[in-house]
């Protein structure tokens, strides 16, 4: 479960600029922001109120894309 403040742990293959996007279950964009990937495992802090439901988190960098599922109860 996630609250209004939560963390996403990601390991990126290389350092550089990227994008964090969060979509609701119907595919609507809920949040999008720029992130700086370190090329190592890192924690990205997100401060966003989400209603109960299932969300898709997409992390996109120069040479990778990763998806995670977030369930808010």
């Amino acid at each position: 479960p996630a609250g209004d403040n939560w963390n996403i742990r990601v390991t990126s293959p290389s350092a550089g600029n990227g994008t964090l996007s969060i979509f609701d279950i119907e595919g609507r964009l809920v949040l999008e922001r720029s992130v700086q990937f370190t090329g190592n495992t890192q924690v990205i802090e997100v401060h966003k109120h989400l209603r109960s439901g299932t969300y898709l988190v997409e992390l996109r960098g120069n040479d990778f894309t990763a998806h995670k599922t977030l369930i808010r109860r």
Side-chain angles (χ1 to χ4, degrees):
D4 290 347
N5 300 307
W6 40 277
N7 299 320
I8 299 173
R9 182 178 306 273
V10 62
T11 302
S12 56
S14 61
N17 296 324
T19 305
L20 165 74
S21 303
I22 300 176
F23 300 90
D24 68 13
I25 195 68
E26 295 178 3
R28 292 182 294 234
L29 182 65
V30 175
L31 172 74
E32 185 169 75
R33 70 172 231 208
S34 297
V35 293
Q36 181 67 36
F37 294 113
T38 62
N40 295 305
T41 299
Q42 70 188 84
V43 175
I44 299 172
E45 295 181 8
V46 177
H47 308 284
K48 174 72 177 172
H49 174 74
L50 298 175
R51 294 182 178 190
S52 296
T54 303
Y55 297 86
L56 176 66
V57 178
E58 179 181 82
L59 297 157
R60 189 176 293 267
N62 292 333
D63 55 357
F64 78 98
T65 301
H67 294 95
K68 295 180 177 259
T69 302
L70 172 70
I71 299 173
R72 169 77 162 103
R73 295 182 188 194

